[in-house]
Amino acid sequence: MANKTGAWGIESVKFATLVSGPTVAGGKIGEKTLQAKSAFPTEWSAFVMKAIVKDSLSFNDNAPSTNNIEIEDSDNYYATLQSDAGTEGFTIQTYDMSEEAATFFFGYKKNSETGYVEEDVDFKLQNQAVQIVTKKTSEFPSRTFEWANMKLVVTKSGTIGKSGFPNINIECTKQAVFDAVTGKEMPSTRWK
């Protein structure tokens, strides 16, 4: 019987810096050719998310929108043009309020004189590569999903009280990746 094809539970969420530029591959002796590097990093260690909120990962893809052109001569559309490419991405939440999370998501830095972790007013969170690995069960194999270039919008929500923890919300939106040599768009999402 074939494996079931669903994905269940989160094993890990990891971030990595973006890959850029071509790699040089040798041809004949003394000859070099440029070949595009994969858009995906080989090391996923910029930040490893901890304390992921149960059932918080939700996909928020939006279909492309269209603009329907009408004319007086017909009751049907004259043309339908794609006006927006749509978006692909997901939102995930974490309870992790550690110094590492504050540093990665918000650019905070530890002040050695006061001991406080302080904001960096000039910090701007850069796009990141994101890897999600799902849990393996006896019925469902583990799946690895990777995005080569995601724009992150990070916010805090919730309350500090006895009913629960405040959390960090990370909204990830897929961005295009282009080959540095040819200028053509490269695949920027994969899974196995």
Side-chain angles (χ1 to χ4, degrees), residues 24-97:
V24 177
K28 296 178 184 174
I29 296 175
E31 185 180 289
K32 293 181 180 178
T33 57
L34 290 175
Q35 294 181 340
K37 193 189 283 187
S38 168
F40 298 92
T42 55
E43 291 288 324
W44 298 89
S45 58
F47 182 74
V48 178
M49 188 180 287
K50 298 178 281 195
I52 299 166
V53 177
K54 181 181 175 184
D55 296 335
S56 71
L57 192 148
S58 60
F59 291 100
N60 47 19
D61 295 356
N62 292 313
S65 59
T66 56
N67 186 14
N68 297 318
I69 309 298
E70 298 180 72
I71 60 173
E72 294 289 342
D73 301 352
S74 174
D75 290 336
N76 296 314
Y77 295 128
Y78 182 68
T80 300
L81 307 174
Q82 182 172 310
S83 58
D84 185 345
T87 60
E88 179 182 329
F90 58 89
T91 302
I92 191 164
Q93 299 174 347
T94 178
Y95 290 131
D96 185 3
M97 294 289 179

Side-chain angles (χ1 to χ4, degrees), residues 50-164:
K50 298 178 281 195
I52 299 166
V53 177
K54 181 181 175 184
D55 296 335
S56 71
L57 192 148
S58 60
F59 291 100
N60 47 19
D61 295 356
N62 292 313
S65 59
T66 56
N67 186 14
N68 297 318
I69 309 298
E70 298 180 72
I71 60 173
E72 294 289 342
D73 301 352
S74 174
D75 290 336
N76 296 314
Y77 295 128
Y78 182 68
T80 300
L81 307 174
Q82 182 172 310
S83 58
D84 185 345
T87 60
E88 179 182 329
F90 58 89
T91 302
I92 191 164
Q93 299 174 347
T94 178
Y95 290 131
D96 185 3
M97 294 289 179
S98 66
E99 182 179 337
E100 293 81 14
T103 300
F104 181 76
F105 290 122
F106 302 107
Y108 280 60
K109 295 178 182 174
K110 186 145 195 175
N111 183 323
S112 59
E113 294 176 11
T114 65
Y116 281 96
V117 180
E118 301 173 346
E119 70 175 328
D120 177 356
V121 294
D122 296 322
F123 176 77
K124 182 180 182 313
L125 181 60
Q126 301 298 314
N127 288 9
Q128 299 285 320
V130 182
Q131 179 192 71
I132 296 174
V133 178
T134 64
K135 293 189 176 196
K136 179 181 179 181
T137 69
S138 59
E139 292 186 277
F140 295 97
S142 177
R143 304 269 184 220
T144 301
F145 299 91
E146 295 177 348
W147 293 264
N149 185 3
M150 298 291 269
K151 178 181 179 182
L152 307 182
V153 176
V154 183
T155 57
K156 291 177 270 196
S157 64
T159 60
I160 297 177
K162 292 184 177 180
S163 60

